[in-house]
């Protein structure tokens, strides 16, 4: 995320973006990406619990976030779709039919 976005957005918003932004997560099948993914955004979750939602359990949220990240990583091929022109690459479908939320058992 760009620094100027951090200044314009409330801190809660940009921390939530870092937690939920699937496109910025390291979803590659490499050892380095796996290590990064294991603790991706844990510091932001810790901050949210401490600063804004002290009634929530930080460990539970981190575990749920890890389960969601691993589900996306393991199933990303199901949700990757080519843009209107194959030369433009692929995108991750987040909502609607065929989205990651439609097939995720942990989010039901």
């Amino acid at each position: 995320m760009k620094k100027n976005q951090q200044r314009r957005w409330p801190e809660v918003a940009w921390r939530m973006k870092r937690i939920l932004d699937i496109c910025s997560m390291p979803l590659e099948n490499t050892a380095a990406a796996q290590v990064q993914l294991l603790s991706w955004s844990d510091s932001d979750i810790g901050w949210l619990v401490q600063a804004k939602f002290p009634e929530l359990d930080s460990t539970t949220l981190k575990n749920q976030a890890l389960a969601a990240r691993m589900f996306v990583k393991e199933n990303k091929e199901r949700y990757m779709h080519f843009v209107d022109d194959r030369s433009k690459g692929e995108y991750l479908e987040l909502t609607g039919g065929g989205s990651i939320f439609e097939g995720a058992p942990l989010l039901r």
Side-chain angles (χ1 to χ4, degrees):
M1 180 178 304
K2 298 176 184 171
K3 291 287 185 186
N4 61 351
Q5 279 183 321
Q6 290 180 5
R7 288 188 209 116
R8 289 187 300 202
W9 293 6
E11 187 167 5
V12 171
W14 63 262
R15 287 187 183 263
M16 290 295 294
K17 181 181 181 342
R18 290 188 346 195
I19 294 167
L20 300 171
D21 186 6
I22 294 168
C23 295
S24 66
M25 291 178 187
L27 300 176
E28 300 86 19
N29 289 324
T30 64
Q34 180 69 20
V35 168
Q36 264 191 310
L37 195 62
L38 290 175
S39 61
W40 186 262
S41 72
D42 278 357
S43 61
D44 295 306
I45 292 170
W47 181 90
L48 282 170
V49 169
Q50 183 179 10
K52 300 293 180 181
F53 304 104
E55 68 277 9
L56 299 177
D57 180 53
S58 180
T59 303
T60 300
L61 286 177
K62 289 176 184 178
N63 288 338
Q64 290 175 339
L66 176 60
R69 291 189 304 264
M70 295 309 291
F71 178 84
V72 170
K73 179 182 179 196
E74 292 168 7
N75 294 284
K76 67 182 178 184
E77 288 79 22
R78 291 173 50 191
Y79 309 109
M80 293 300 288
H81 304 282
F82 281 102
V83 182
D84 58 350
D85 177 1
R86 283 184 170 270
S87 67
K88 293 181 182 175
E90 296 177 307
Y91 68 96
L92 189 61
E93 179 132 2
L94 300 179
T95 60
S99 74
I100 61 168
F101 297 109
E102 190 175 85
L106 63 108
L107 299 174
R108 289 186 185 156

